[in-house]
Amino acid sequence: MAESLDPGLYSPLTLAYLGDSVFDLYIKSHFVKASNKQVEKYHKDVINVVNARHQARFMDTYMDQLTDEEITIFKRGRNASVHTKAKNATMAQYKKATGFEALVGYLYLKGDMERLQWIVNLILNMPDAEE
């Protein structure tokens, strides 16, 4: 495997692209390890967490617990020019979710798995909310 660049040098959308997959894998792994059930049931659990509305709400709730470096990465992702929108989210929620995913991708590339797991644990324990 080729040596990667400093994680801060990647574009925010590249970080979000990777972060989307990393976050999805963490959440799917969590539910698979917790129980053995049909794939359709896993999917229902996963989509309640891996969606733009939930990720945006996480950022609204826990932004004050992020480091200055993490906030900078989040803002780079949030402010990136996106040309699509999630089906079930506002553009503001989608942009926050892009920032969240950029943060996840950044932490993954940085190798800070402890901090990444901290974020995953927080988001898994957030109460469901109708928005």
Side-chain angles (χ1 to χ4, degrees):
M1 188 163 114
E3 191 171 320
S4 62
L5 300 173
D6 173 346
L9 297 177
Y10 288 94
S11 78
L13 293 179
T14 298
L15 292 173
Y17 174 73
L18 179 61
D20 176 58
S21 295
V22 169
F23 184 63
D24 188 60
L25 180 61
Y26 266 75
I27 300 304
K28 285 179 178 175
S29 296
H30 166 79
F31 285 112
V32 168
K33 289 176 182 178
S35 65
N36 187 10
K37 54 187 166 184
Q38 297 169 324
V39 173
E40 298 81 21
K41 291 179 181 176
Y42 287 131
H43 181 69
K44 287 179 182 180
D45 291 339
V46 169
I47 62 172
N48 287 325
V49 180
V50 181
N51 67 68
R53 286 191 334 248
H54 200 73
Q55 292 168 352
R57 197 162 53 84
F58 172 84
M59 293 309 302
D60 290 340
T61 304
Y62 293 105
M63 181 78 109
D64 63 341
Q65 295 186 39
L66 300 180
T67 67
D68 290 342
E69 175 186 35
E70 291 167 345
I71 290 170
T72 298
I73 296 298
F74 162 74
K75 286 181 177 179
R76 283 181 57 211
R78 182 196 62 196
N79 296 336
S81 294
V82 294
H83 303 288
T84 58
K85 179 178 116 36
K87 293 183 279 188
N88 300 310
T90 66
M91 183 53 86
Q93 289 169 326
Y94 186 73
K95 288 175 117 0
K96 285 179 187 176
T98 302
F100 170 83
E101 290 172 345
L103 174 59
V104 169
Y106 175 79
L107 291 172
Y108 179 78
L109 285 176
K110 187 178 169 187
D112 195 346
M113 302 312 162
E114 185 176 320
R115 188 67 171 172
L116 185 52
Q117 190 62 56
W118 175 80
I119 287 173
V120 169
N121 290 341
L122 284 176
I123 204 166
L124 282 167
N125 290 302
M126 280 178 40
D128 291 334
E130 292 300 317
E131 298 176 51

